[in-house]
């Protein structure tokens, strides 16, 4: 779906001298909206119109509360690790004592009661280590969760893109899943043109169109990617005296990234068919 329309420009293009064949259309883009899965207050947002390299931060939510929590959880985990080490050492000693008494009991140097107490001590030490392991694992899981929250609060681009819009101001609260930034990935602009039924047999996916855009002396080449299966009436945004009552087919054509420089979604185009 086209994100922006420029109705007045469309009307002018429809009446331009280049539209001899009545093949009109516009440029459209596949925008990407970036959101965070967690809530937070917006800290920074990339400036609109800025080109970002892949991996660059598009926006960042305030992660100060999570950073404080992470420090606290790491300290707790360190203490629990020390307890776990103590429990492991205690279990090792209890097992050594039990093994020693087992050897002595076989020679009747110690009573069965002494061996039973040693085995009970091993069981207690094993339970203590198991509890220490569970506490440490829970603490480590908490650390992983907080680190994930911090990572979510800094959203980066997966590919080169231009910042089209930031939906929030710095300091505003952002709910989970709400789009914060709209990006225009490099190479995402395409042409949408409407071909009369009588001319449909002359084109096929893979064919090349020549697009005329205001302000450019040379046409732009675009490769047809898709032709609609069903006809429709000419969209109101590209009405002209010749085409307003015509049934046309929507044709989508790809433009190479190199030719997309200085192009903008919503610009009207006139097309020459092969």
């Amino acid at each position: 779906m086209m994100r922006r329309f420029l109705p007045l420009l469309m009307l002018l293009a429809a009446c331009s001298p280049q539209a001899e064949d009545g093949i009109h259309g516009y440029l459209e883009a596949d925008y990407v909206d970036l959101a965070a899965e967690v809530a937070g207050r917006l800290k920074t947002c990339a400036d609109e119109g800025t080109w970002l390299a892949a991996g660059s931060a598009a926006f960042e939510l305030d992660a100060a509360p999570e950073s404080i929590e992470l420090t606290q959880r790491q300290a707790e985990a360190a203490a629990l690790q020390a307890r776990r080490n103590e429990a492991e050492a205690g279990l090792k000693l209890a097992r050594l004592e039990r093994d020693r008494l087992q050897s002595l009991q076989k020679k009747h140097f110690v009573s069965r009661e002494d061996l039973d107490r040693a085995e009970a001590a091993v069981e207690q030490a094993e339970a203590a280590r198991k509890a220490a392991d569970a506490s440490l694992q829970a603490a480590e899981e908490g650390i992983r969760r907080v680190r994930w929250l911090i990572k979510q609060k800094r959203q980066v681009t997966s590919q080169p893109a231009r910042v089209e819009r930031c939906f929030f101001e710095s300091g505003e609260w952002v709910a989970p899943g709400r789009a914060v930034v709209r990006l225009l990935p490099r190479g995402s602009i395409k042409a949408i043109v409407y071909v009369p039924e009588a001319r449909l047999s002359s084109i096929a996916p893979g064919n090349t169109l020549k697009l005329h855009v205001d302000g450019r002396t040379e046409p732009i080449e675009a490769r047809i990617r898709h032709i609609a299966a069903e006809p429709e009436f000419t969209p109101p945004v590209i009405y002209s005296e010749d085409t307003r009552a015509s049934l046309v087919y929507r044709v989508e054509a790809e433009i190479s990234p190199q030719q997309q420089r200085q192009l903008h979604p919503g610009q009207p185009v006139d097309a020459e068919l092969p």
Side-chain angles (χ1 to χ4, degrees), residues 157-219:
T157 59
S158 60
Q159 56 185 314
R162 186 177 71 202
V163 179
E164 289 296 296
R165 185 178 177 187
C166 189
F167 298 107
F168 293 87
E169 296 291 337
S170 179
E172 287 188 319
W173 183 260
V174 181
R178 286 290 302 275
V180 177
V181 175
R182 174 163 292 170
L183 300 175
L184 176 64
R186 189 183 300 277
S188 64
I189 297 177
K190 58 189 176 184
I192 304 297
V193 297
Y194 293 87
V195 178
E197 184 178 10
R199 304 291 305 277
L200 194 63
S201 61
S202 65
I203 61 173
N207 289 165
T208 299
L209 304 178
K210 289 186 177 181
L211 305 177
H212 296 274
V213 182
D214 288 345
R216 298 178 70 108
T217 57
E218 296 296 327

Side-chain angles (χ1 to χ4, degrees), residues 83-177:
R83 292 180 190 175
R84 196 270 179 195
N85 293 342
E86 291 176 1
E88 179 67 26
L91 176 59
K92 184 177 181 179
L93 290 175
R95 285 173 173 171
L96 288 174
E97 179 63 11
R98 179 200 59 188
D99 294 344
R100 186 182 72 83
L101 292 179
Q102 280 179 339
S103 178
L104 292 175
Q105 202 274 334
K106 290 178 181 179
K107 299 176 182 179
H108 305 288
F109 290 156
V110 296
S111 66
R112 180 64 198 181
E113 289 77 9
D114 291 334
L115 181 57
D116 289 343
R117 284 193 292 271
E119 289 177 343
V122 170
E123 292 177 358
Q124 291 175 355
E126 288 176 341
R129 189 190 65 175
K130 185 177 180 180
D133 284 340
S135 297
L136 182 58
Q137 289 174 3
E140 290 173 342
E141 178 60 31
I143 289 174
R144 285 191 291 270
R145 182 185 65 82
V146 175
R147 283 177 173 164
W148 179 83
L149 290 173
I150 293 174
K151 183 178 180 181
Q152 284 297 310
K153 289 197 167 185
R154 184 178 185 272
Q155 291 294 316
V156 301
T157 59
S158 60
Q159 56 185 314
R162 186 177 71 202
V163 179
E164 289 296 296
R165 185 178 177 187
C166 189
F167 298 107
F168 293 87
E169 296 291 337
S170 179
E172 287 188 319
W173 183 260
V174 181

